[in-house]
Every structure is written in C-alpha cells, then in structure tokens.
Amino acid sequence: MMREQEFMDKLSETRRFIIEKVNIEPQMGVILGSGLGGFVDLIEDKVVIPYQEIPNFPVSTVEGHKGQLVFGKVLGKTVVAMQGRFHFYEGYSMQSVTFPVRVMQVLGVSGLIVTNAAGGINPAYRPGDLILIKDHINMMGDNPLRGANLSNLGPRFPDLSEGYDLEWRQKALTIAREVGIHPQEGIYAAMSGPSYESPAEIRFLRTIGADLVGMSTVPEVIIANHGGMRVLGISCVTNMAAGILSQRLSHAEVMETAERIEKQFVRFVQALVKGLA
Ligand code: HPA
C-alpha cells in the first residue's frame, strides 16, 4: 500500500499534467462502461488524453475499452469522461481502479455519472433495459478506502446512506421520460469477477436483495462519496444473470446488447449531464 504523502504527491503530479493540457474545469465526471464509449462523440471542444500518457495512471487492457480521458463540453456543461475504466479483475489494486476518480476530485469535479453493463437478476428486467442504481452491495471482498485515511480527501468513515444521490435519481427519472425511456431502479451487487457468477451465487445475490450484478462501479462510487461528490449510477442490462434463463452467458452477448442500446444510453447520459450539472 502506497504511503499517504506519496499518494498525494502523485495525485498533484497528475493534476498538474492535466491542467497544463486542458483549459476547461470539468463540473461533471462520466465513467463510460463497456460498449458505451460513443458518448465521447457528443463532446465538443475536445481534449483527449490517452491513459498511457497520464502520469501515474494505470493502463487499460480489456478489449472494448479504449482507455482515454476526454475533456470538453456537452450542451454547455463541462465534463471529463473516462472512455474505458480499470477493473479489479484485471489485477489492479482498488487504489489503482479508483485513481481516476481521485484525479477528477482534485480537478474540481463535484458530480459523477457512472455507467456499466450488468447482468439482470430481477426477473422484471429484460436485456437492453437501462436501470437507475439506487444502492449497491459490495461483494468484491475489498474496499478502496482500506488503509490510512487521506484526510485531505475525505473522512475516515464516510456515510453511504445516499451513495446514489436521491435528488439526482428523482431528476434522472424526469429526464429519462423526456428522452422517452422509463427506467426501473435497482440494487447493484459488485463481484470481483472475471468469471461470471454461478447460478447458486445469483440465487444468493437475489436473496440478499440484489437486482443487478456486475464487476465494476462500486469502488469508484465509494471513492466519489468519500470525496464528497454526488453520484448517479446507470446500468445497462446486457444479459440475464446466470441461471435466471436456461441459456448460457457470453461476453459476446454482453457486447451485442451494449451496442444495441448505445445510442439510447448516450442520449440519456447527454440529457443527464445537461439536467444535473
Ligand atoms: N455478471 C457480472 N458482470 C456482468 C454481467 C453478469 O452477468 N453482465 C455484464 N457484466
């Protein structure tokens, strides 16, 4: 585990590197999940920085993930989008997975929209549905805040009782209707992956109250809350979780559904940035 001062120094170095390249101050951060990268086409006055060029950034490895920060404007609001995220299952530490959220925090970002592809556990869901995350269950067996608290960045014991901001969720429902979608709300369980869950694990997750399952999002949301950001989370149900239907899961199905819904998802996120920022 990195020493606190060393971490703060790295964060400052990364911040200095970015503010030298980017003139705008992002109000809102957006993390784009698998196959949802098309959002960056809506960003104007873009400054694109590949992760490899950013000091102290981990480097993305998974297919379908481009790996760059995109700064610019969406309908007049200033944003920084992560096109491609870091996953715990890739072998990164929780600190590495969430480093970009810390960078957003020190750049002055006060709100974060987090998106992902997820398996549907709730039988009322269908592949292709967009679901507003109302809460999460951390089943990853780790926490990005483990270790010494960085008291300049947030409190030792952050409250997560509104980890997904209630007012934003209510606004998001209104905004969704305006763009012609009617999302349900659900609870997202985060597993470490990379194997998909067993049917028995899915029955367990359903029993403990999960509606969705995925392998991301929760670390970033914990850090964003620690850093005092408001968070909105949206899942695209790319498949029904293992054992819910009598069919097998594949990464290909996940990517196909994400692609099929991408245009609608992108329009929704654009409207959210405009309405929430
Ligand atoms: N399980 C875990 N992660 C996922 C799934 C799933 O079924 N679908 C998309 N990401």
Side-chain angles (χ1 to χ4, degrees):
M1 197 149 305
M2 225 188 291
R3 304 283 308 276
E4 303 95 84
Q5 193 51 54
E6 196 182 332
F7 183 86
M8 294 306 294
D9 289 347
K10 286 198 151 88
L11 201 50
S12 306
E13 183 190 16
T14 306
R15 178 177 172 274
R16 279 195 304 276
F17 172 86
I18 290 171
I19 59 183
E20 210 156 277
K21 299 206 170 239
V22 182
N23 282 321
I24 62 136
E25 265 200 34
Q27 307 165 263
M28 181 84 94
V30 183
I31 301 180
L32 301 166
S34 317
L36 306 168
F39 176 74
V40 303
D41 297 338
L42 299 177
I43 304 180
E44 297 178 318
D45 305 329
K46 268 199 275 278
V47 179
V48 178
I49 315 181
Y51 294 158
Q52 314 89 276
E53 293 178 14
I54 306 176
N56 309 312
F57 249 56
V59 173
S60 178
T61 60
V62 178
E63 59 178 305
H65 294 264
K66 254 215 181 103
Q68 50 193 25
L69 283 187
V70 183
F71 294 84
K73 287 187 186 163
V74 173
L75 302 176
K77 311 290 180 168
T78 57
V79 300
V80 50
M82 282 185 79
Q83 192 175 17
R85 61 149 59 83
F86 303 104
H87 294 92
F88 191 53
Y89 63 72
E90 293 176 84
Y92 300 113
S93 67
M94 283 274 171
Q95 276 81 7
S96 295
V97 167
T98 55
F99 187 75
V101 180
R102 287 305 192 197
V103 172
M104 290 181 186
Q105 182 185 350
V106 298
L107 289 173
V109 168
S110 59
L112 182 65
I113 298 175
V114 196
T115 67
N116 61 49
I121 298 175
N122 187 325
Y125 297 169
R126 294 281 170 275
D129 285 355
L130 297 180
I131 310 292
L132 286 183
I133 303 174
K134 67 174 176 202
D135 202 350
H136 71 224
I137 302 174
N138 181 7
M139 298 295 287
M140 292 180 129
D142 200 350
N143 189 300
L145 294 171
R146 203 170 88 86
N149 185 50
L150 300 167
S151 53
N152 293 332
L153 298 175
R156 170 74 292 187
F157 300 109
D159 175 29
L160 286 183
S161 45
E162 234 183 87
Y164 302 80
D165 189 82
L166 178 59
E167 192 185 320
W168 271 19
R169 270 157 42 212
Q170 288 166 342
K171 283 192 178 160
L173 286 174
T174 307
I175 293 164
R177 270 182 249 118
E178 288 163 9
V179 298
I181 56 180
H182 300 272
Q184 304 184 66
E185 291 195 293
I187 295 174
Y188 176 94
M191 303 286 274
S192 67
S195 51
Y196 289 118
E197 301 68 36
S198 68
E201 286 166 346
I202 294 299
R203 279 194 301 277
F204 166 72
L205 292 176
R206 188 174 169 181
T207 303
I208 65 172
D211 300 298
L212 298 154
V213 61
M215 306 173 193
S216 69
T217 301
V218 164
E220 294 103 314
V221 168
I222 290 172
I223 291 299
N225 274 274
H226 181 259
M229 295 180 198
R230 290 207 209 201
V231 175
L232 187 84
I234 313 160
S235 288
C236 173
V237 177
T238 52
N239 57 283
M240 294 314 287
I244 300 281
L245 305 175
S246 55
Q247 70 181 46
R248 302 188 62 143
L249 272 62
S250 73
H251 183 60
E253 181 195 6
V254 169
M255 297 310 289
E256 274 166 31
T257 310
E259 268 163 43
R260 175 163 67 82
I261 299 308
E262 181 170 15
K263 281 220 168 66
Q264 184 185 49
F265 204 161
V266 162
R267 227 186 317 116
F268 184 31
V269 175
Q270 179 189 37
L272 288 169
V273 168
K274 180 174 181 228
L276 300 179

